[in-house]
Amino acid sequence: MKRASISLLAPVILCLSLSFNAQADTYPEKAGEKLATGVANVITGIGEIPKNMMITSHKKGTIYGVTAGFFVGIVHTVGRTLSGAVDIITFVVPTTPIIKPTYIWDDFDRETTYTTWRMR
């Protein structure tokens, strides 16, 4: 019984995991993805401070990284949080994210950059 339920549950889990990784094709999926991205960036914006401290420390040394990276992190925290807030407010217009990387955890060793909006 247990083996049968696991064998039936495995394909369902596989299909769900693949559907979450799929590219958003329809308008509701694009709008929902933009809303989710905005919420994630508002919540995780504070993570820019340790991220930038780490990046700056690796490039220029620990003391400089802790001080200058802290202030750069504050700037990027404001940028990521405001970018997320704009995505939440304008989620009905499916555009590409302003901030790169889209999520803070996508590439933690890469500096945050900002781009222009484009329609999806």
Side-chain angles (χ1 to χ4, degrees):
M1 178 69 178
K2 187 175 182 181
R3 178 174 262 163
S5 63
I6 290 174
S7 65
L8 292 175
L9 190 59
V12 172
I13 292 172
L14 180 64
C15 288
L16 285 174
S17 68
L18 291 176
S19 68
F20 287 124
N21 292 330
Q23 187 71 12
D25 291 334
T26 64
Y27 172 77
E29 290 172 343
K30 290 176 185 178
E33 183 180 341
K34 185 174 179 183
L35 180 62
T37 300
V39 170
N41 283 330
V42 166
I43 292 171
T44 62
I46 194 73
E48 286 286 345
I49 294 173
K51 173 184 172 180
N52 283 284
M53 289 170 67
M54 182 188 72
I55 291 170
T56 309
S57 293
H58 285 219
K59 288 182 178 178
K60 300 196 177 184
T62 306
I63 301 297
Y64 186 80
V66 170
T67 54
F70 177 76
F71 292 110
V72 171
I74 289 175
V75 171
H76 286 303
T77 295
V78 171
R80 184 170 291 277
T81 304
L82 289 178
S83 169
V86 168
D87 283 347
I88 291 170
I89 293 168
T90 63
F91 79 95
V92 294
V93 181
T95 58
T96 58
I98 299 171
I99 199 161
K100 301 289 182 203
T102 305
Y103 300 104
I104 195 167
W105 59 81
D106 277 349
D107 194 358
F108 205 74
D109 293 332
R110 187 174 131 203
E111 291 185 32
T112 302
T113 57
Y114 303 90
T115 61
T116 58
W117 268 346
R118 289 177 309 185
M119 294 301 287
R120 289 187 185 205

